[in-house]
Amino acid sequence: MTEEIFRGDSYAKSCEARVEAADERGIRLDRTVFYPEGGGQPGDTGVLRRADGAEVAIIDTLKDRETGDIVHVSGGGSAALAPGDAVVAEIDWDRRFRHMRMHSCLHLLCAVVTGDVTGGQVGDGKGRLDFNLPETSLDKAQITAELNRLVAEDHPVAPRWISDDELAAQPELVRTMSVKPPTGAGQVRLLEIEGVDLQPCGGTHVARTGEIGRVEVRKIENKGRQNRRVNVVLVD
Ligand SMILES: [Zn+2]
């Protein structure tokens, strides 16, 4: 299994790594800072650079469901890399940081809007959550104000681990009905926004809510009888 540096350090922009396999499906490394698509957050893009200057552009990152390996999807030229090659793996940090800001923002949205989350997506500079709510009482301006208040309060954001059994005893922690938390490994990763939100999440996040910057709810859509889709954008 690929060592996942981003799990412990979401601010790591690059790392040294060794190529374990390179084929038409993509490149596998022994360790990486590239986040693989999952939990509503897109896979990272960036570059793998050999010491002699040869570069391979990475256009997406996925998780191999069978092996658990992280697959760096190349935009062509992966033949330039061979098993054993030493590379520097570097993500497109500006894009990833926008993902981190939006992902943390969507956790704030979970705290502001009550109702089970039925789906969601982090995008580049924008994001959305679907809530299982029968009424159309959601107010754009009010939710925007609440989100920006929580941003301005600059709450610490940090991962925390609990056992599968502890999670089973606290089902209220699971807000997202469409994505089951990854239990089975004995431990579940929670994301805590101190005093605001606590739920299972494997994504990458900012360290404090102040880093999210100003946000705005652009529109609230009706997607089915009980489904309310709240769309948020980064303003700054
Ligand atoms: Zn999350």
Side-chain angles (χ1 to χ4, degrees):
M1 279 242 306
T2 321
E3 183 191 340
E4 303 178 339
I5 292 170
F6 53 86
R7 297 266 182 230
D9 181 7
S10 60
Y11 286 82
K13 301 169 182 67
S14 69
C15 70
E16 293 180 351
R18 200 161 287 279
V19 176
E20 293 199 325
D23 56 32
E24 63 285 348
R25 293 179 55 217
I27 298 138
R28 292 157 201 255
L29 304 173
D30 60 343
R31 57 208 295 267
T32 192
V33 290
F34 281 69
Y35 179 82
E37 192 247 306
Q41 184 178 328
D44 280 329
T45 57
V47 67
L48 304 182
R49 194 176 296 117
R50 222 165 45 187
D52 64 6
E55 279 191 359
V56 172
I58 301 303
I59 57 169
D60 197 5
T61 308
L62 306 168
K63 188 133 189 167
D64 185 320
R65 303 238 171 265
E66 279 165 39
T67 64
D69 278 345
I70 291 176
V71 180
H72 305 76
V73 181
S74 93
S78 57
L81 294 177
D85 282 354
V87 293
V88 171
E90 185 180 338
I91 56 171
D92 177 346
W93 171 251
D94 291 344
R95 175 176 179 269
R96 154 71 92 69
F97 190 53
R98 288 192 294 270
H99 290 164
M100 286 162 57
R101 291 164 63 202
M102 179 48 67
H103 197 151
S104 298
C105 173
L106 292 183
H107 281 232
L108 296 183
L109 184 59
C110 271
V112 168
V113 178
T114 50
D116 288 321
V117 177
T118 56
Q121 183 64 47
V122 175
D124 191 352
K126 60 183 183 177
R128 58 175 164 80
L129 283 182
D130 291 351
F131 293 93
N132 183 18
L133 286 172
E135 290 163 44
T136 49
S137 56
L138 297 177
D139 182 70
K140 270 196 303 190
Q142 189 203 334
I143 298 170
T144 296
E146 285 286 296
L147 289 175
N148 284 315
R149 178 178 61 81
L150 292 170
V151 167
E153 285 172 358
D154 202 23
H155 297 268
V157 181
R160 200 212 284 182
W161 298 82
I162 62 169
S163 69
D164 289 355
D165 292 342
E166 285 173 294
L167 181 66
Q170 301 173 76
E172 69 278 8
L173 286 178
V174 181
R175 285 291 305 277
T176 305
M177 301 193 301
S178 61
V179 183
K180 277 257 178 67
T183 55
Q187 293 266 296
V188 183
R189 185 182 193 263
L190 301 179
L191 196 278
E192 179 172 34
I193 302 181
E194 243 180 75
V196 180
D197 185 61
L198 177 68
Q199 60 175 299
C201 180
T204 59
H205 289 270
V206 295
R208 304 191 68 93
T209 60
E211 292 186 67
I212 296 168
R214 212 151 51 84
V215 297
E216 185 186 327
V217 175
R218 276 285 154 82
K219 63 179 175 193
I220 298 172
E221 302 167 276
N222 289 344
K223 293 277 176 187
R225 205 156 54 88
Q226 296 205 310
N227 211 17
R228 300 288 169 265
R229 175 169 293 176
V230 182
N231 296 273
V232 195
V233 295
L234 302 175
V235 177
D236 295 329

